[in-house]
Amino acid sequence: MIAIEETILPSGFVCHSLSELYDTCKHFHSDSDHSAKLNLESLVESYDFEQCWQEYQDDDEDDDEGYPLHDLDYYIRQAPRKTERGIFLHFSDDGDSFLRRDCAIHLTVDGKKYKLPCYFAPNGHKVGANYTTDLYFRITSKLLKELATATSISLSYETGDDKTGFKDANLGNFQKYALAFYEGYYIEDQGTPEEKEKLRQELQAQKDANKRREEEEKAREEQRKAEEKAARKAEWEEADPLSKVWIMLKRNWKLVLLILFILYVWANW
């Protein structure tokens, strides 16, 4: 069962996140052995990576053996942290550091398209200037609600590099993860009981609308199948004996091919 976890950070702030990661079943890089995971979180502690990288690049101080005295992690440890509250979509790749920090993420939710700029990408451990282990994207409460009630979700991860990225990955099962976060954190975190009840009613109304749409689509599909069955029956009843043979061949062409293949193999045994 997907639950909401509370993590108390050293700063004293509390981060709410999903207890279970969603597996995209997609590799973010051709050299990666792991598929990337998704989570939803309420807080990000960030720092200015670009500034740290620039300070590292500008540092010309060497040790006694001629190597740089300070590595990039030294400047990252010194960098001031900023705590940002909100709703964040968090990508991670099991520590591979194959996520591109300069990527573009596109979500399509029930036909609506969203482009998400990266909010924060911490340092990785493989070519850290370009790659990272984590990517954080800020989303709105409106988008979270749409994810929570979606009937279809797809994601594109674009980098401009042939070895990385994918397009229109089906993430339909992420809907229940978003719903757990929306109900368990976002609604529960909103002010007064009246505000919470209003959000619950709005969510239920959207769920009911989705259910009606699914039932209508199911009824249309059943009607289509019934009409197709009736047409096939009428075609058979109106056909002459020779036409019925042709109809049987058309409707069972896979079986006919299998039988012909078996006969061919048997004849050449």
Side-chain angles (χ1 to χ4, degrees), residues 59-75:
D59 188 350
D60 57 3
E61 189 175 0
D62 297 333
D63 60 17
D64 295 339
E65 298 181 358
Y67 294 103
L69 185 62
H70 300 122
D71 59 11
L72 176 60
D73 286 337
Y74 168 82
Y75 292 99

Side-chain angles (χ1 to χ4, degrees), residues 7 16 20 23 33 37 40 67 81 98 105-106 116-117 129 158-160 192 196 218 235 244 258 264 266:
T7 303
H16 297 83
E20 183 179 323
D23 191 343
D33 294 328
K37 307 299 192 299
L40 285 162
Y67 294 103
R81 264 47 178 178
F98 275 131
I105 291 289
H106 297 268
L116 305 181
E158 300 172 7
T159 66
T192 65
K196 294 178 182 179
K218 182 179 179 181
E235 181 187 25
K244 286 183 177 179
L258 177 60
Y264 173 80
W266 180 77

Side-chain angles (χ1 to χ4, degrees), residues 10 17 20 37 48 50 56 59 91 101 105 117 121 130 132 137 159 171 175 187 192 223 233 236 246 254 257 263:
S17 61
E20 183 179 323
K37 307 299 192 299
D48 190 339
E50 296 300 329
Y56 168 68
D59 188 350
F91 288 74
R101 62 176 66 253
I105 291 289
N130 298 316
T132 181
F137 300 86
T159 66
L171 302 184
Q175 177 269 332
I187 290 180
T192 65
Q223 178 66 22
K233 182 179 179 181
W236 178 261
W246 175 242
K254 291 182 179 179
L257 286 177
L263 291 174

